[in-house]
Amino acid sequence: MTAAPIAFARRDARAGVDWLKRAYAMFRVAPLRWLMLLFTYYLLVSLSEFGPWHAVGQFIAPILKPVFAVGFLGAAWSQERGNLPRFTYLFRGFRSNLFALIPLGVVFLVGMTVAVLATTLVDDGKLIALLSGTEKPSEDTLAGGRVQLAMLLGAACALPTLLALWFAPALVVFDDAGALRALGTSLRAALVNWKAVALYGVTVFALGGVLPGLALAIAQLFGEVAAGVLAVFVVVPYLFAFIATLHISDYVSYRDVFHGDEAPIQGELGQA
């Protein structure tokens, strides 16, 4: 018997910004705990990509991405119910439906690899060389239309994979969906809510890319020292908080699209 489709709601464009606002509000409740989860996750990713196991780690890290995503989802779910995030939440994915989460990671790895390789069709591998560090960036290279076109092509090719994986880990854990069902449902929900997804993406680009870049560019006008101080004491902490907010927004957007009709969870946060 075929499982019934998982219902989801259609949200207007404003929801894309609201997801980020609500996620940041959750981050502000326990910033140090969220940053602890974030630092631990990226430390593990970094360790897997260095040393003698680099050849294997560069494949293992993206495959385990949905597994660790469950840790952030679980921490947000628990905070919504009155418990502060804990370090142990980061590893909850390994105790969940691992056999459905691992295929999601394989899809992510394959999808991103195809997107990157597709760029060679327009720039003969220039972008890959820049990203891998085998070629030093120059003004002529970065200003070249072929590299910019390659970036656009890569983003377009990666988009279906990113949308299919947006809600997929949450659907596996909270709705007991298999990998294929979770991927298909996530893709359909993201496409139906394309206005909210598009505004979310534009806002993330503006707040995570344009704003820090503009701040550093202005600081450069006052000298390298001013730019360095701003980078260390303002931009870097801001970006850490912003990235943590993005992880939390995965849960916020899932809950709004798939369980938005449920009554808000009430309760005071206790010490975990």
Side-chain angles (χ1 to χ4, degrees):
M1 181 180 295
T2 303
I6 300 175
F8 55 82
R10 183 191 299 268
R11 301 300 180 201
D12 59 25
R14 292 175 299 175
V17 175
D18 188 52
W19 296 340
L20 290 170
K21 288 181 178 179
R22 290 163 55 189
Y24 180 65
M26 293 184 70
F27 170 78
R28 288 186 60 187
V29 172
L32 294 181
R33 290 175 180 254
W34 280 110
L35 290 175
M36 177 185 65
L37 292 180
L38 185 72
F39 291 153
T40 303
Y41 168 60
Y42 283 105
L43 176 62
L44 293 174
V45 170
S46 298
L47 291 175
S48 70
E49 296 182 350
F50 289 99
W53 48 83
H54 168 70
V56 177
Q58 62 182 338
F59 296 104
I60 297 299
I63 289 176
L64 291 181
K65 187 177 185 298
V67 180
F68 282 111
V70 172
F72 290 95
L73 292 169
W77 183 90
S78 297
Q79 179 173 315
E80 193 177 46
R81 285 152 182 80
N83 299 305
L84 291 173
R86 296 189 226 176
F87 171 79
T88 53
Y89 289 175
L90 187 60
F91 304 97
R92 280 191 170 183
F94 292 93
R95 302 193 302 272
S96 301
N97 192 349
L98 194 61
F99 291 106
L101 293 171
I102 291 296
L104 299 186
V106 174
V107 169
F108 176 73
L109 174 61
V110 172
M112 293 300 101
T113 301
V114 170
V116 171
L117 292 177
T119 64
T120 62
L121 297 175
V122 296
D123 72 346
D124 296 324
K126 281 283 187 181
L127 180 60
I128 294 178
L130 291 172
L131 294 175
S132 63
T134 57
E135 181 176 325
K136 293 184 178 180
S138 64
E139 290 187 12
D140 292 338
T141 301
L142 296 177
R146 295 178 67 187
V147 171
Q148 294 176 356
L149 182 60
M151 294 174 65
L152 291 175
L153 178 61
C157 292
L159 187 59
T161 300
L162 296 177
L163 295 181
L165 285 163
W166 189 318
F167 304 112
L171 289 168
V172 166
V173 174
F174 297 127
D175 294 271
D176 199 27
L180 289 177
R181 189 180 181 211
L183 289 166
T185 302
S186 176
L187 181 59
R188 290 195 302 273
L191 291 176
V192 166
N193 288 280
W194 69 269
K195 292 181 180 179
V197 169
L199 186 56
Y200 175 94
V202 171
T203 306
V204 168
F205 176 73
L207 296 179
V210 176
L211 184 60
L214 182 61
L216 289 175
I218 294 175
Q220 286 283 355
L221 300 176
F222 298 92
E224 294 294 333
V225 175
V229 170
L230 182 73
V232 172
F233 293 102
V234 179
V235 175
V236 171
Y238 167 81
L239 288 176
F240 280 137
F242 184 71
I243 294 171
T245 299
L246 292 184
H247 281 285
I248 302 171
S249 72
D250 288 341
Y251 175 78
V252 173
S253 59
Y254 159 78
R255 178 162 168 75
D256 184 44
V257 171
F258 289 90
H259 300 282
D261 57 341
E262 296 178 3
I265 305 299
Q266 302 293 332
E268 295 182 0
L269 287 171
Q271 294 297 323

